[in-house]
Each structure stands twice: as structure tokens, then as C-alpha cells.
Amino acid sequence: AEQHMYERPVLDNGLRVLSSWMPHTRSVSICIFVGAGSRYENDPQAGLSHFVEHMLFNGTVGFPGNTLTQTLEGFGMQVGADVNAYTTCEATVYSLSVALDGADSAATAFDVLDQWATAATIDPAAVADERGVVLEEYRTTETVSGIISARFDETYTAGSMYEDCDP
């Protein structure tokens, strides 16, 4: 891989890699930053990046169904704390933090990121199920704190390229 000072390493296929090794904790954090966020979606596509983010947790070729989550939990990882993803206006980020306790933990974490990047399976039944999960997340924006947060975002981003950008 090509590497320059002050830049993240770039693989031959153009993928930029960001990793962080924490020797005092004997763990590694790895992420994939996908340049697909809500800012790049038009009306018919609104929410697609966020929905795909959710769907990648529902299976890949190498980790069908919920086996991805079960495999990572077998290494002591917890979804939310150690296995997570989020969508912003600019990107969708998939991240893993794994303890280097066993010989297979880091290799499996890299396998998961590879599967997320190249081998997602989008099962129609899982799409229907996940739709309810995403709609429930949306409903949380209709609470008092969600409304206040939305008004803050509207004021803060008014007149910027992020105006009306809602991941």
C-alpha cells in the first residue's frame, strides 16, 4: 500500500485505511469510511445510506443472517460499544474495536470489514424487518429532545452546504 506523511494509507484499489493500535489495552480499532452520506442523496434516495448501514448487520456472504454479530460477540465484543456504524452528511462509517486476546480476533475483524465492503446480502425479509427498526429510530426525533435537536441543527447549518442534510 502507498503511504504519505499526514495521509491515511491508500490501498491499490483506492480504499483509504484508518487503524489505531492501542498497546496499553491490547486492542485494535479499525474502520471503513464510505463516501456515501445523506448529503449526496436526492429525494427518492433520502435515507438510503443510513438504511444500507443497518442492512450490513443483517448478513453477508461469509456471515449470513445474525452470525456476524454472534461471531463478534464470541470474541467478547458488544454491538454498540465495539461494533458500530453511523451515517453522517458526508460518509457512512463502519467500525470495530477488538481485543487482541486470541489469534483469530483481529483476523476475523478484518474479515468482517471485508465482508461489509464487498459481500453484503440484502435479503428482502430482512429489509422488511429493518424498515421497522429505522422507522423506530426516526420516531425518536419526534420527542421533545429530538425536536430541540432538529431546531438546533437547522439553525446551526442554515446557509451552509449542510442545510437540510439529515442523515
Side-chain angles (χ1 to χ4, degrees):
E2 174 187 76
Q3 185 172 3
H4 300 283
M5 193 177 339
Y6 308 116
E7 292 184 19
R8 289 171 273 181
V10 180
L11 302 179
D12 293 339
N13 64 2
L15 183 67
R16 292 185 184 276
V17 178
L18 176 62
S19 64
S20 171
W21 180 54
M22 297 164 281
H24 60 282
T25 62
R26 298 236 347 110
S27 65
V28 64
S29 294
I30 52 178
C31 302
I32 294 177
F33 293 81
V34 179
S38 59
R39 190 178 126 197
Y40 306 108
E41 299 168 347
N42 56 31
D43 283 339
Q45 300 168 332
L48 185 60
S49 299
H50 182 223
F51 194 76
V52 170
E53 168 209 319
H54 275 252
M55 288 306 301
L56 292 187
F57 284 86
N58 288 304
T60 65
V61 171
F63 297 97
N66 291 324
T67 60
L68 183 144
T69 302
Q70 294 165 349
T71 299
L72 295 174
E73 287 175 346
F75 290 114
M77 299 169 72
Q78 296 177 350
V79 173
D82 305 308
V83 181
N84 214 334
Y86 60 91
T87 303
T88 69
C89 293
E90 297 289 338
T92 305
V93 180
Y94 303 89
S95 63
L96 299 171
S97 294
V98 60
L100 300 174
D101 296 342
D104 294 336
S105 58
T108 300
F110 278 100
D111 286 344
V112 167
L113 289 180
D114 174 63
Q115 289 284 300
W116 277 342
T118 64
T121 55
I122 308 292
D123 178 47
V127 168
D129 291 343
E130 202 61 37
R131 182 175 183 272
V133 173
V134 172
L135 287 173
E136 188 58 35
E137 275 187 8
Y138 178 75
R139 285 186 197 99
T140 65
T141 65
E142 297 172 344
T143 64
V144 172
S145 61
I147 292 167
I148 291 169
S149 178
R151 296 304 171 261
F152 174 82
D153 289 347
E154 288 170 11
T155 302
Y156 185 73
T157 61
S160 77
M161 66 182 179
Y162 297 106
E163 187 171 18
D164 297 325
C165 177
D166 183 9

